[in-house]
Amino acid sequence: MNLDQLIQLQHQFDEKHGWNPDKRVANAVLGAVQDDLIGIVGEIGEFANIIKKISLESKHNVPCDLVGLLKTHHVELSEELVDAFIYLIRLASHLDIDIEQAYLEKLKFNEIRFKRFERPQS
């Protein structure tokens, strides 16, 4: 499944639940953007909290199996990251941003911007 298909699935899910704002009403779009912005920040915060717990755990358990700790929390990390991804999709949809195209344009820009940081090919 590609990104466009995921976006369509999310749009259909949101439509079914009455969560897509009426794009003809500016305040409806702004309200949805505000709600989803708060949502994405919250999910990133939850993700960061898990990382903080892993970091604290690794500091107190020397020697530490950091890979094991990350695996132990893999499901939680995945859930929070996907929740943030859902909010990202919704934000792009509310604002009519073609996230695939915008990503490709930004990647081209970053290729030029960060060229000097490229590692030499071996």
Side-chain angles (χ1 to χ4, degrees):
M1 186 169 289
N2 66 33
L3 182 56
D4 190 51
Q5 290 169 318
L6 293 175
I7 291 168
Q8 289 304 316
L9 279 174
Q10 186 62 46
H11 187 76
Q12 291 166 3
F13 179 87
D14 291 346
E15 186 66 37
K16 187 167 109 177
H17 292 85
W19 296 338
N20 288 333
D22 183 344
K23 299 257 177 128
R24 299 168 297 177
V25 180
N27 283 340
V29 174
L30 181 59
V33 167
Q34 288 172 330
D35 291 347
D36 288 343
L37 183 58
I38 292 167
I40 197 171
V41 169
E43 297 302 337
I44 294 297
E46 290 178 25
F47 184 89
N49 245 355
I50 297 166
I51 295 296
K52 180 178 80 174
K53 288 176 189 175
I54 292 169
S55 178
L56 289 172
E57 219 173 308
S58 72
K59 287 177 185 172
H60 295 330
N61 296 324
V62 178
C64 167
D65 176 14
L66 186 56
V67 173
L69 280 173
L70 289 169
K71 283 183 181 176
T72 300
H73 294 279
H74 186 266
V75 171
E76 296 168 90
L77 289 167
S78 177
E79 286 177 4
E80 302 308 338
L81 200 55
V82 170
D83 286 342
F85 178 67
I86 289 168
Y87 282 115
L88 179 66
I89 289 171
R90 291 169 50 107
L91 285 164
S93 176
H94 300 327
L95 299 170
D96 293 323
I97 295 170
D98 180 339
I99 202 159
E100 286 180 289
Q101 185 59 40
Y103 170 80
L104 293 172
E105 289 170 10
K106 187 65 173 186
L107 184 61
K108 281 183 198 175
F109 174 81
N110 285 341
E111 284 286 343
I112 296 165
R113 181 176 177 202
F114 297 109
K115 184 116 181 109
R116 63 189 166 141
F117 296 108
E118 285 182 6
R119 292 183 181 164
Q121 300 275 333
S122 34

